[in-house]
Amino acid sequence: MLRTIILVHLFVHAFVGSSQDTFSITAVDPATGEVGSAGASCVDLFIAGFSDPGFLAQQLPGVGSINTQSYYLASNQNNAMARMQAGDTPEQIMAWVAANDVQGNSTQRQYGVAMLQGAGAGAAGFTGANCLSYANHIAGPNYAIQGNILLGPEILEEMEQNFLNTTGTLADKLMAALQGANVVGADTRCAANGTSSLFAFLEVAQPDDPFNQPSLSLGVRLASIGVEPIDSLQSLYDAWQLTADIEQYGAVRQLRVSPNPAEDMVVVQLPVGTTLALLQLVDAAGRTLPSATETLLGGQVQLPVDHLAPGLYHVVLYEEGRRTMGRFVKQ
């Protein structure tokens, strides 16, 4: 079964390594070759100047995934990825980054790494002695879960139980793991906000994805009081799941819409043989958006979506009494 490939390319600003980043999981699936991560924190990314909620995770498609947190430094993350590319095991990578911190202070860093190893997998974690309490990590056969400034060990434990007890894809399991930390004050700094965190992300790379371009990349960054980012991320993920089987070209014709999710523009690839047709954009409530109606002649069309509210939308192609549909998520 083909999966819809979604790509969100976000510019990551330079970041001063003075921030703590709180709970995350990185994991691999030996059966599919997928690698991925999910996480959240009470850092206000608008103030920090970060546009990408998934900055602390990095995947090497077909190989493994690394999460870098607690006084995050991009240079430490890049060095850890270089060790993965060089063929180090998870344990060797953790030992290397602990001994070779860019600022000479690995005691305040935290890492998690999961890798495909032959027909199996391996994982390891590292928590420096000076990470803010509660801080710890859990390493399983194909996953590593880590957190600092936590309410307590139950946050990591619930993440692990959700990951282990959820059936489905690696993305399903990572999203469920994150829901295990959906507790007010999971990151204790957010207790007064009434949420677990202020941003959340989910990323999964397929074996043939380009480096730094995971097929699934969803993120939420908030500054609103009382809005739970893990729930917001869950809504985005649920909407993405509805689009995941769109690329089924066979007996049933489907529209290919990309990128998915989208921010400013979507490109609709028309089925082979389309001559003259009417294309309409429809929201989740079934309302046609007149401003998006276009008359088309073959090939493909670009539709601006920057004016749309976040959510799920349908693109409907009408031709000769036949209707063909596609879907996308507006971030």
Side-chain angles (χ1 to χ4, degrees):
M1 178 175 65
L2 295 175
R3 302 285 287 179
T4 296
I5 293 180
I6 77 171
L7 170 61
V8 181
H9 180 70
L10 296 168
F11 180 75
V12 181
H13 298 276
F15 190 55
V16 178
S18 60
S19 174
Q20 295 282 345
D21 299 290
T22 311
F23 48 88
S24 70
I25 176 172
T26 184
V28 300
D29 185 342
T32 64
E34 294 173 311
V35 301
S37 299
S41 177
C42 198
V43 173
D44 187 329
L45 295 187
F46 294 95
I47 294 176
F50 249 50
S51 59
D52 181 5
F55 68 94
L56 63 84
Q58 202 168 32
Q59 294 87 34
L60 185 58
V63 180
S65 180
I66 294 173
N67 288 2
T68 306
Q69 58 191 48
S70 185
Y71 290 98
Y72 168 86
L73 282 177
S75 50
N76 280 334
Q77 184 181 57
N78 292 336
N79 286 342
M81 179 55 64
R83 299 316 309 163
M84 179 179 287
Q85 291 173 317
D88 285 4
T89 66
E91 293 79 10
Q92 288 171 333
I93 293 171
M94 294 296 90
W96 193 94
V97 294
N100 295 275
D101 187 83
V102 171
Q103 294 180 336
N105 190 7
S106 61
T107 66
Q108 62 182 358
R109 315 290 186 205
Q110 194 168 46
Y111 301 94
V113 58
M115 294 178 64
L116 300 165
Q117 294 182 323
F126 172 82
T127 300
N130 291 328
C131 289
L132 298 183
S133 187
Y134 176 78
N136 207 347
H137 63 270
I138 300 172
N142 67 324
Y143 61 87
I145 303 169
Q146 44 283 323
N148 58 89
I149 327 180
L150 297 179
L151 188 63
E154 65 272 18
I155 301 302
L156 301 180
E157 292 165 0
E158 286 298 317
M159 290 179 69
E160 181 181 37
Q161 288 305 306
N162 278 19
F163 181 81
L164 294 174
N165 295 327
T166 297
T167 58
T169 65
L170 180 62
D172 293 333
K173 293 169 73 68
L174 289 171
M175 187 68 241
L178 203 56
Q179 282 289 4
N182 191 350
V183 177
V184 172
D187 177 333
T188 54
R189 294 168 299 176
C190 267
N193 190 47
T195 64
S196 71
S197 50
L198 281 176
F199 75 82
F201 72 92
L202 170 64
E203 296 183 352
V204 175
Q206 302 294 326
D208 57 352
D209 283 345
F211 180 63
N212 274 342
Q213 295 182 8
S215 293
L216 172 58
S217 180
L218 297 173
V220 173
R221 56 177 186 152
L222 301 171
S224 303
I225 295 176
V227 178
E228 174 52 57
I230 295 178
D231 288 338
S232 298
L233 184 67
Q234 182 75 61
S235 296
L236 274 180
Y237 182 63
D238 292 345
W240 173 80
Q241 283 187 306
L242 293 176
T243 75
D245 297 325
I246 289 300
E247 292 185 351
Q248 298 291 314
Y249 299 110
V252 179
R253 301 200 317 167
Q254 301 281 359
L255 290 181
R256 182 177 182 179
V257 185
S258 62
N260 186 7
E263 290 187 331
D264 302 318
M265 185 82 66
V266 295
V267 176
V268 182
Q269 185 68 47
L270 301 180
V272 175
T274 300
T275 54
L276 186 62
L278 181 69
L279 189 71
Q280 292 184 329
L281 194 60
V282 180
D283 66 15
R287 295 170 296 201
T288 299
L289 306 180
S291 61
T293 301
E294 298 280 353
T295 300
L296 308 170
L297 183 62
Q300 63 183 30
V301 67
Q302 291 184 328
L303 294 178
V305 298
D306 55 327
H307 61 290
L308 300 178
L312 177 67
Y313 291 86
H314 303 264
V315 180
V316 187
L317 175 69
Y318 296 92
E319 53 172 337
E320 300 175 352
R322 179 168 51 184
R323 185 176 67 171
T324 310
M325 298 180 65
R327 300 172 187 163
F328 70 93
V329 176
K330 170 62 167 62
Q331 286 246 85

